[in-house]
Amino acid sequence: MTSDAETKMRFLFALRSKGVTDPRVLNAMEEIDRGAFVKGLFAERAYEDMPLPITCGQTISQPSVVGLMTQALELTGRDKVLEVGCGSGYQAAILSRLARRVYTVDRHRRLVAEARLAFDALGLANITAFTADGSRGLEDQAPFDRILVTAAAEDPPGPLLAQLRIGGIMVLPVGQSDAVQTLIRVRRLETGFDYEELRPVRFVPLLEGLGKET
Ligand code: SAH
């Protein structure tokens, strides 16, 4: 077996052992090269189950967390998805294999520009990336079947709840930015919202407004 194949096998094994069991999610994570989203020195660590630094002082999430969040969204293949916190674009790339259409936004223009290049290089044509304050959602494209937030707010932002379709699911970390946060799943029902706590996580904070370019 080549060492690349071995690295991938170990990667998938690590994902399974952390609870990523949905075969469709595992397939998508096998197919999308995380190395395409990590630059420079850290690229050789792309297949380790750890978060890594990316441009603008942000981080690409730990693969097992990407897998668990994707799994928690219960994608059907027909979904229109909003991701808040595009970062490197890795999570959006995984979503794009399992959903019909993915909109992803980040407050840093430079991250969005780099993510677009990676989407093009991998031929992922069903993702649209925008520079925007995602805490306001994406009014023009709403409602969404699924919303994934990859930065932590104290509470689920009102505009995101409002832009979730009835029957839709939103997965997001909530809590104080410098403490352990909780990943929650929100289901929009006919009559209101159902909240479920999934696991402790740690994300960078969801900040208001656009990022200063560095
Ligand atoms: N999903 C990313 C990792 C996200 S890190 C990946 O797969 O690589 C969190 C990202 O959220 C950062 O890039 C940060 O700039 C972004 N962010 C924080 N607050 C935001 C906001 N209000 N709107 C849009 N993006 C935001």
Side-chain angles (χ1 to χ4, degrees):
M1 197 177 349
T2 67
S3 67
D4 274 6
E6 248 176 62
T7 306
K8 270 223 162 137
M9 282 249 313
R10 246 185 258 124
F11 179 67
L12 292 172
F13 182 80
L15 294 175
R16 276 196 213 94
S17 70
K18 300 260 175 71
V20 184
T21 51
D22 183 331
R24 293 172 317 146
V25 174
L26 288 166
N27 260 340
M29 295 188 74
E30 186 175 2
E31 283 169 17
I32 298 286
D33 177 15
R34 188 170 181 247
F37 299 90
V38 183
K39 305 236 158 39
L41 274 182
F42 291 101
E44 64 193 41
R45 310 187 72 169
Y47 283 92
E48 291 176 28
D49 190 26
M50 56 192 298
L52 294 170
I54 53 172
T55 314
C56 302
Q58 303 302 315
T59 46
I60 176 171
S61 311
Q62 187 175 352
S64 55
V65 173
V66 170
L68 290 168
M69 288 174 86
T70 307
Q71 196 165 275
L73 277 178
E74 300 176 3
L75 294 162
T76 67
R78 298 183 301 275
D79 336 76
K80 180 163 75 167
V81 184
L82 171 65
E83 182 199 21
V84 176
C86 173
S88 68
Y90 177 64
Q91 170 76 74
I94 302 295
L95 294 173
S96 79
R97 303 307 304 257
L98 302 166
R100 179 171 56 82
R101 192 101 197 74
V102 178
Y103 294 90
T104 181
V105 300
D106 205 286
R107 57 192 291 279
H108 285 288
R109 194 174 302 281
R110 191 162 148 208
L111 285 171
V112 170
E114 287 178 10
R116 279 185 186 142
L117 292 177
F119 300 148
D120 286 349
L122 297 180
L124 303 174
N126 62 339
I127 312 177
T128 312
F130 294 109
T131 306
D133 177 355
S135 61
R136 298 156 181 267
L138 209 53
E139 189 72 57
D140 288 354
Q141 305 299 336
F144 297 96
D145 302 299
R146 301 288 186 267
I147 299 178
L148 181 62
V149 188
T150 62
E154 280 186 34
D155 294 300
L160 296 183
L161 290 171
Q163 290 175 26
L164 188 62
R165 197 190 293 282
I166 292 172
I169 297 175
M170 170 155 69
V171 171
L172 76 164
V174 290
Q176 305 284 342
S177 61
D178 49 358
V180 171
Q181 305 135 4
T182 307
L183 189 67
I184 65 167
R185 173 160 53 196
V186 183
R187 291 176 199 270
R188 181 158 196 182
L189 313 172
E190 296 272 357
T191 49
F193 295 91
D194 178 56
Y195 295 83
E196 185 186 349
E197 292 192 2
L198 300 180
R199 67 194 306 267
V201 282
R202 191 152 192 185
F203 277 85
V204 299
L206 187 74
L207 300 173
E208 282 187 15
L210 295 187
K212 293 218 168 53
E213 292 313 306
T214 47

